[in-house]
Amino acid sequence: MRKLVLIILLNLFWYPSISQNQLPLANGFLEDIENNDFQYWSHQANEGGDATYSIATDDLVEGSTKALKCEVHSLGTNGWHVSSKSEYPFQVIAGQKYTVTFYAKVEGADSRQMKLVFQSEVSGSYQGQNIWITNEWQRYSHTFTVEHSSDNNRVRFWYMQSDVTYFLDEVSISPGDRITFAPNEKLQIVDGFGAGIKRRTEQLYVLNDSFREQIEEYCFSDLEVNMIRFFVYHDLEPENDNDDPYDLDESQLDWTRYDSDPNIWRTRYVGEALQNAFDLSINGFDHIIGNCNSAPGWLKTNGQHDNGGTLISGGESEFSEFLVAFLNGMESRYGIEVTAISPTNEPDYEVSYESMNTTPSELSSILINLNARLSNSGLDHINIVSPECFRVESQNSGTSATNYINTMFENSAVEAAIDIVGTHTYADPNHNANWNALKVAANGKPVWVTESANLNSTDQSMTDAANYIKWIIRGFNEGGVTAYMLHLFYEEADNNGYSSLVAWTPTGEIILPKRYYSFKHFTNLVKKGYSLISSNSTDENGVYVGGFISDDESKVIVQIFNEGNEKDFSIDVPLGATSVETFLTTNNDSEEFSSLGINQIDYYNRYFTATLPELSLTSLVFDIDESLSSSEFNYVNNNDFQVELFPNPAEDQLNLILPDYSNYNIKIFNLQGQKLIERFGNNKEVIIDISTLEHGTYLLNITSTFNHKTTTKKIIKQ
């Protein structure tokens, strides 16, 4: 197991930490590494119980070197006489919560029960919880609320089935509810974050240049987004160019909407708006999505671009020609390479404005035809996003992205045609949509939320922002979402409300609602290529947790949304973390994606305590030194050359206990290989002065000049 001395509370936050009780479960890794024995733990097999206890060294938790192994042969007369108990007492306070976490697995069965017991010498203090353990290493947790204060508390694990082998590792007890995450449990890869400029560019580009540029900087520079979505206007082809859907007469196309000519009322400045967004971008735009609300009226059953209707029978090839013309024209006229095309917008939701209501069957024909046309036109690199329904899921078979995908994917050609499953989040005001149903329907394809909003909102507070935060966290955790986009980047605010990230008033005031600052927690901290990781909170009432890890594994980002009142938590520290920066957004004006500073982390910390404010979003950005997460961090030995080293981390001096009285050459290098300290010694105990070293990680190399054996260890200077 990992080399831990004890579990320490690390008070990183600006809010008062809860109890200073160290909860010294003195040996959460159970074994004495030097003597290959158990320390502060006893193991029982009484009343006919029979078990063999040993230390396992193979197939362990990441970062571990040893685990407790219990081979249960018999449970005894009453069936509960085989157990492991911590013999190191710890203090608890009546009325407070305490969370026990541990890693475990079984061998010889798919799953078996283990009972976790929390008990003191006080009569009636017993609390137990049966937990099913699988045959793969997993982390388990349970939170107890204690009724009696006591200085003499212990935890115990009862092994509940015989003829099976139990493995136990990394036992931890922390005050309050616990927020846990597992950086090694990687899930889907993030594609990005963004929003749309649909039907709003004309509002922005009538403003004076200076004011407009401020708004655009907020949207495209400050937010660090990498996705943008805009209109495929129905009147790009106002009339059928000819009767041949494979021979386009480009002279019949009308690009007025995309041009910047204030003398033409139909001008929408779209080309200029996109280029300005690209120019302001910090990291560039990876995804540029053209979305078509409606085919041209002459291609529809109702003969018009609005009020629903659908594509005329046999009109698929003409519609594909129209969409390909849009893709080619955006590049040739404006230098904009559209990366994804969506042929419909909310086909399940009938509205009076520009819209087209295709059934799943009708949309399937459109998608198969479009996929073939893109391939034949040399545009295979353009992704198809569909169906972009109004809602995630519903009980009505004719609505929701889930139902559309389930129906369309019955045809393998449709499933092959769709690259990305698109959905909107409307009709989910209570946040009870079944995201997992959409994930299952998507069958492994990326899921993008391409439009999301609390429409016509006049609320600028965290109450409004809560909607977006929950859609994002639930979508990623439950729905397989890989990208999330808001409805709009910008729009003019009026008395009817607005749903954009940035808004402005007719009097020239820029509005940045709390949803803007909340969105920054994701756009600025979680980048394309990062992976979602498994995360959880033992408090299931109004606490949402999302976790991500960078592609190079140098950063772990954890976002915690506390929708309720102020709460105390213990929060995991990932293995190898050297520091953490905290960002906070609350309803206070002074807490708007505010950095609360960077705190250094001791290698031995496994959690810290924090108080999360009411209705707040907190992001923790951990810097990870991968070399510190190696299972060989403390013991990297060649030829069985053993050295004791303490303390580590150290401030001024290192104490070395060497195998015997011999001659040793002792060197300290930085991570660039430069030798900083060299000592020669012939004693069994050696003290090395490291007070002149800067804070950081170093390599300690020790060589015996007698037999030339050598060992190298990583050390930390505090």
Side-chain angles (χ1 to χ4, degrees):
M1 295 159 192
R2 298 174 192 140
K3 175 70 172 176
L4 305 182
V5 173
L6 51 84
I7 299 172
I8 302 172
L9 300 184
L10 181 63
N11 301 323
L12 298 180
F13 278 24
W14 64 108
Y15 284 90
S17 169
I18 58 180
S19 170
Q20 293 299 308
N21 169 22
Q22 294 290 311
L23 288 182
L25 185 67
N27 195 354
F29 50 88
L30 290 86
E31 79 280 352
D32 181 337
I33 290 180
E34 290 300 322
N35 298 316
N36 213 40
D37 197 359
F38 298 104
Q39 186 178 47
Y40 295 123
W41 288 83
S42 63
H43 308 288
Q44 296 78 37
N46 304 319
E47 302 295 331
D50 182 21
T52 302
Y53 292 93
S54 60
I55 294 175
T57 57
D58 296 323
D59 190 20
L60 305 177
V61 177
E62 181 181 0
S64 178
T65 60
K66 298 179 181 180
L68 167 64
K69 179 179 180 180
C70 176
E71 301 171 77
V72 182
H73 310 299
S74 171
L75 294 176
T77 55
N78 294 325
W80 46 266
H81 291 292
V82 180
S83 65
S84 296
K85 182 177 70 169
S86 167
E87 295 295 349
Y88 197 97
F90 52 87
Q91 178 194 68
V92 297
I93 300 171
Q96 288 195 6
K97 292 181 178 180
Y98 297 89
T99 299
V100 181
T101 69
F102 60 96
Y103 287 89
K105 71 171 183 174
V106 296
E107 190 176 87
D110 291 337
S111 63
R112 287 294 184 266
Q113 276 191 326
M114 175 186 284
K115 183 185 286 290
L116 170 63
V117 172
F118 195 93
Q119 190 175 19
S120 73
E121 81 287 354
V122 179
S123 176
S125 64
Y126 175 94
Q127 294 189 56
Q129 178 66 33
N130 287 350
I131 299 173
W132 281 96
I133 309 299
T134 72
N135 58 8
E136 298 287 341
W137 279 112
Q138 290 189 45
R139 192 179 193 191
Y140 300 89
S141 65
H142 185 74
T143 300
F144 299 94
T145 301
V146 301
E147 297 182 1
H148 309 279
S149 295
S150 172
D151 294 332
N152 188 23
N153 292 269
R154 289 173 172 82
V155 291
R156 191 170 196 160
F157 295 90
W158 293 97
Y159 307 107
M160 303 299 289
Q161 271 92 29
S162 60
D163 300 319
V164 68
T165 300
Y166 290 84
F167 295 84
L168 185 65
D169 203 349
E170 287 278 332
V171 183
S172 168
I173 305 174
S174 55
D177 283 295
R178 182 80 172 250
I179 290 170
T180 63
F181 45 91
N184 59 316
E185 295 180 19
K186 294 182 182 179
L187 305 172
Q188 69 267 26
I189 297 175
V190 175
D191 288 316
F193 299 91
I197 58 173
K198 298 179 67 172
R199 236 192 309 268
R200 293 302 185 276
T201 48
E202 63 271 30
Q203 292 182 354
L204 185 67
Y205 277 77
V206 297
L207 304 175
N208 70 70
D209 289 347
S210 176
F211 190 53
R212 170 183 57 77
E213 288 167 0
Q214 290 181 57
I215 294 168
E216 289 178 316
E217 284 184 11
Y218 278 121
C219 292
F220 307 118
S221 179
D222 192 45
L223 278 180
E224 299 185 18
V225 292
N226 72 322
M227 304 180 73
I228 194 166
R229 179 169 171 264
F230 68 107
F231 258 145
V232 180
Y233 279 98
H234 67 92
D235 52 3
L236 174 64
E237 189 176 357
E239 296 179 353
N240 191 358
D241 65 315
N242 54 43
D243 292 327
D244 186 350
Y246 300 97
D247 182 19
L248 177 67
D249 182 358
E250 294 187 19
S251 67
Q252 300 301 307
L253 302 180
D254 184 353
W255 292 95
T256 303
R257 302 278 191 183
Y258 302 88
D259 291 337
S260 299
D261 189 345
N263 298 314
I264 303 177
W265 69 270
R266 291 175 60 252
T267 288
R268 296 293 182 266
Y269 305 89
V270 176
E272 182 179 355
L274 289 169
Q275 287 293 359
N276 286 342
F278 302 156
D279 291 343
L280 288 166
S281 172
I282 298 295
N283 300 308
F285 277 82
D286 299 293
H287 306 291
I288 304 161
I289 307 158
N291 173 242
C292 186
N293 273 35
S294 172
W298 54 268
L299 257 178
K300 292 177 61 186
T301 54
N302 63 352
Q304 57 193 49
H305 69 277
D306 50 10
N307 290 307
T310 189
L311 205 66
I312 61 174
S313 178
E316 291 87 355
S317 292
E318 283 286 1
F319 190 33
S320 291
E321 180 188 55
F322 166 78
L323 295 173
V324 169
F326 160 79
L327 294 169
N328 288 329
M330 289 304 299
E331 182 171 6
S332 63
R333 292 178 62 89
Y334 308 101
I336 294 170
E337 297 183 24
V338 177
T339 64
I341 187 73
S342 172
T344 58
N345 182 75
E346 299 176 1
D348 61 331
Y349 190 64
E350 203 158 322
V351 293
S352 58
Y353 58 79
E354 187 172 340
S355 64
M356 182 167 67
N357 297 112
T358 60
T359 66
S361 176
E362 291 166 340
L363 181 52
S364 294
S365 296
I366 291 170
L367 293 167
I368 292 173
N369 188 287
L370 176 60
N371 188 47
R373 179 62 68 91
L374 291 175
S375 179
N376 293 333
S377 303
L379 299 173
D380 293 89
H381 59 283
I382 306 293
N383 288 318
I384 295 177
V385 183
S386 192
E388 291 208 66
C389 288
F390 180 74
R391 51 182 70 81
V392 173
E393 61 89 25
S394 77
Q395 301 304 309
N396 186 330
S397 61
T399 61
S400 86
T402 300
N403 291 334
Y404 262 62
I405 289 297
N406 276 328
T407 300
M408 292 193 298
F409 279 12
E410 293 175 0
N411 185 335
S412 59
V414 181
E415 185 171 357
I418 294 178
D419 299 293
I420 295 147
V421 172
T423 187
H424 299 175
T425 62
Y426 305 112
D428 186 25
N430 297 318
H431 296 276
N432 55 9
N434 186 347
W435 281 95
N436 185 66
L438 179 59
K439 177 181 179 179
V440 172
N443 199 24
K445 290 185 181 290
V447 178
W448 287 4
V449 172
T450 50
E451 199 171 304
S452 182
N454 180 23
L455 290 171
N456 300 321
S457 174
T458 57
D459 186 356
Q460 301 178 29
S461 74
M462 287 297 290
T463 305
D464 171 75
N467 292 292
Y468 301 86
I469 299 168
K470 289 187 285 186
W471 283 323
I472 294 172
I473 292 178
R474 287 197 63 216
F476 274 94
N477 285 346
E478 302 169 35
V481 166
T482 63
Y484 182 92
M485 305 182 74
L486 269 72
H487 179 206
L488 295 169
F489 277 113
Y490 46 69
E491 67 179 318
E492 183 176 2
D494 58 30
N495 293 332
N496 294 322
Y498 61 97
S499 59
S500 59
L501 285 159
V502 182
W504 65 91
T505 67
T507 58
E509 176 190 3
I510 293 178
I511 303 171
L512 299 177
K514 289 295 182 177
R515 61 176 170 265
Y516 174 88
Y517 295 106
S518 297
F519 200 41
K520 285 187 71 173
H521 284 254
F522 300 93
T523 61
N524 289 41
L525 302 179
V526 180
K527 299 302 181 183
K528 180 179 182 290
Y530 283 27
S531 294
L532 182 75
I533 60 175
S534 174
S535 61
N536 189 39
S537 167
T538 60
D539 182 337
E540 298 178 353
N541 299 314
V543 176
Y544 299 81
V545 182
F548 301 88
I549 187 169
S550 62
D551 47 356
D552 63 1
E553 301 187 352
S554 66
K555 292 185 182 297
V556 170
I557 296 90
V558 178
Q559 276 123 350
I560 309 166
F561 177 54
N562 176 25
E563 191 172 21
N565 296 327
E566 180 180 282
K567 294 179 181 177
D568 296 328
F569 281 94
S570 294
I571 302 172
D572 272 2
V573 171
L575 185 65
T578 58
S579 66
V580 60
E581 184 171 11
T582 305
F583 295 86
L584 178 67
T585 298
T586 71
N587 268 328
N588 295 332
D589 291 341
S590 60
E591 294 169 337
E592 295 177 329
F593 190 65
S594 304
S595 173
L596 304 177
I598 299 174
N599 294 87
Q600 301 302 309
I601 295 177
D602 190 310
Y603 172 78
Y604 298 107
N605 291 128
R606 286 298 174 262
Y607 70 87
F608 58 85
T609 60
T611 299
L612 303 181
E614 65 176 348
L615 204 56
S616 64
L617 178 59
T618 301
S619 288
L620 305 170
V621 181
F622 295 94
D623 279 329
I624 308 297
D625 183 340
E626 291 183 67
S627 66
L628 301 185
S629 63
S630 167
S631 62
E632 299 180 349
F633 171 70
N634 282 278
Y635 285 87
V636 182
N637 298 307
N638 297 325
N639 303 318
D640 297 323
F641 181 17
Q642 299 287 336
V643 174
E644 286 189 51
L645 165 66
F646 62 93
N648 189 16
E651 292 184 1
D652 297 317
Q653 65 182 33
L654 288 171
N655 296 276
L656 307 180
I657 300 179
L658 301 165
D660 49 41
Y661 291 91
S662 182
N663 292 318
Y664 296 96
N665 185 9
I666 303 167
K667 303 174 186 176
I668 295 179
F669 300 85
N670 62 21
L671 296 182
Q672 289 71 47
Q674 297 172 307
K675 183 173 66 177
L676 305 177
I677 294 175
E678 184 171 14
R679 280 277 309 276
F680 293 91
N682 57 6
N683 293 322
K684 186 176 177 62
E685 298 183 17
V686 178
I687 297 175
I688 307 295
D689 181 6
I690 61 169
S691 60
T692 59
L693 297 180
E694 296 181 355
H695 299 303
T697 302
Y698 298 88
L699 299 176
L700 171 70
N701 176 262
I702 305 172
T703 302
S704 169
T705 59
F706 172 70
N707 56 20
H708 303 292
K709 290 184 178 181
T710 184
T711 186
T712 300
K713 299 176 179 293
K714 293 186 176 67
I715 60 173
I716 299 176
K717 166 64 187 297
Q718 286 185 325

